[in-house]
Amino acid sequence: MEQRPVKTVHQLLSALVVVAVTSALWAGWLGWDQERDVHADGTTTGPYEAWQVIGLVLTLMGPVCWAVWRGYAVGAVLGVTVGLTACAYRDWSDDGSGLFVIGVGMVMVGGFVVSAGLAAVIVSLRRGSGTVTEL
């Protein structure tokens, strides 16, 4: 009996769950901080601090690990990539210069590369433990 359609639906559902969790984590870590910090010499930084971005990355590891360990590596990688890209676009699209598109592209590529790398590590760990099913 062919299980391919069921697997595809589960991959899609896992991707949607990861998109939702990624969006919620973005809102929790980065969504509330929208003001740039002005220093005494007139330079500005921000709006995010390093600890916020590091916190987002570390907490995103949880949903990725969960989905990949359950056999939904494609859904995990696509979910993080789409979630981060959509949140960055929404958050930064009010930039009048149009340069936000470069930042959004960097977030998209970075989210894909890091989540795919983490997924590859988890898949190799699953193979070593003998619990791999069809990914």
Side-chain angles (χ1 to χ4, degrees), residues 10-113:
H10 288 165
Q11 285 285 2
L12 178 60
L13 289 175
S14 69
L16 292 174
V17 167
V18 174
V19 166
V21 170
T22 299
S23 299
L25 289 173
W26 178 287
W29 284 103
L30 305 178
W32 55 271
D33 192 1
Q34 299 298 316
E35 295 182 21
R36 294 193 173 274
D37 299 324
V38 180
H39 300 285
D41 62 358
T43 60
T44 60
T45 58
Y48 313 124
E49 299 292 332
W51 64 267
Q52 291 173 282
V53 178
I54 292 167
L56 174 64
V57 170
L58 291 177
T59 54
L60 277 174
M61 291 173 67
V64 171
C65 291
W66 170 82
V68 174
W69 195 261
R70 294 181 53 87
Y72 305 117
V74 173
V77 172
L78 291 179
V80 167
T81 304
V82 168
L84 288 177
T85 303
C87 287
Y89 182 84
R90 189 210 168 282
D91 208 9
W92 302 341
S93 64
D94 60 352
D95 176 37
S97 70
L99 291 175
F100 76 94
V101 175
I102 295 170
V104 170
M106 292 171 68
V107 166
M108 180 178 64
V109 170
F112 177 79
V113 168

